[in-house]
Amino acid sequence: MTRTAKGRVKLPQWGGGFLNITKKIAAKHTELGANSPLKMLEDYDFDEIAPLADAALVQHDAAEDFAGKAETAYRERDKNKPLINDGTRAAVNLLKAKYAKNPKMLIEWGVEVDDTKMAAPKTPGT
């Protein structure tokens, strides 16, 4: 006696892969017309779902394009990060030394100064 394998259905998470599958299902549904088994679905009409999936796929592709552009922009932004980071920290340290008796002067330089009292560190067991 032979066994029939019950194949597992693999659906990707929501996104381009999922929307492409929806598009393929909708195409087959349209091809079969009145004979499509999807006509038996009571709660879902693939004649309405198909254009929604197409629109979502267009938006997904646009989002992917923007993500690529964002990644490129971040890379460009970070090209000189070490120089900018180290230079800014050195400037703040110099200004802190210059205005040691009045650190609020750093506010004029665009540096946020927090002058609230620091709580005493908690000792274990108290």
Side-chain angles (χ1 to χ4, degrees), residues 71-106:
E71 188 175 322
T72 301
Y74 282 126
R75 245 185 272 121
E76 283 296 312
R77 175 198 71 182
D78 293 344
K79 259 201 257 186
N80 296 308
K81 181 180 178 183
L83 177 64
I84 295 168
N85 188 32
D86 294 347
T88 302
R89 290 179 185 283
V92 169
N93 287 336
L94 177 71
L95 292 169
K96 280 173 45 180
K98 178 173 175 55
Y99 300 114
K101 292 188 179 184
N102 189 7
K104 284 192 173 187
M105 290 295 292
L106 275 76

Side-chain angles (χ1 to χ4, degrees), residues 11 20 34 48-49 72-73 79 94-95 112:
L11 280 178
N20 279 318
E48 292 177 13
I49 291 174
T72 301
K79 259 201 257 186
L94 177 71
L95 292 169
E112 184 178 338

Side-chain angles (χ1 to χ4, degrees), residues 28-82:
K28 184 68 173 178
H29 169 71
T30 303
E31 177 188 323
L32 294 175
N35 294 329
S36 173
L38 300 184
K39 294 281 186 187
M40 293 187 295
L41 290 172
E42 291 182 18
D43 296 332
Y44 304 100
D45 181 358
F46 254 80
D47 294 328
E48 292 177 13
I49 291 174
L52 297 175
D54 287 340
L57 194 53
V58 168
Q59 292 302 314
H60 174 78
D61 292 342
E64 290 291 317
D65 184 46
F66 286 129
K69 288 178 182 175
E71 188 175 322
T72 301
Y74 282 126
R75 245 185 272 121
E76 283 296 312
R77 175 198 71 182
D78 293 344
K79 259 201 257 186
N80 296 308
K81 181 180 178 183

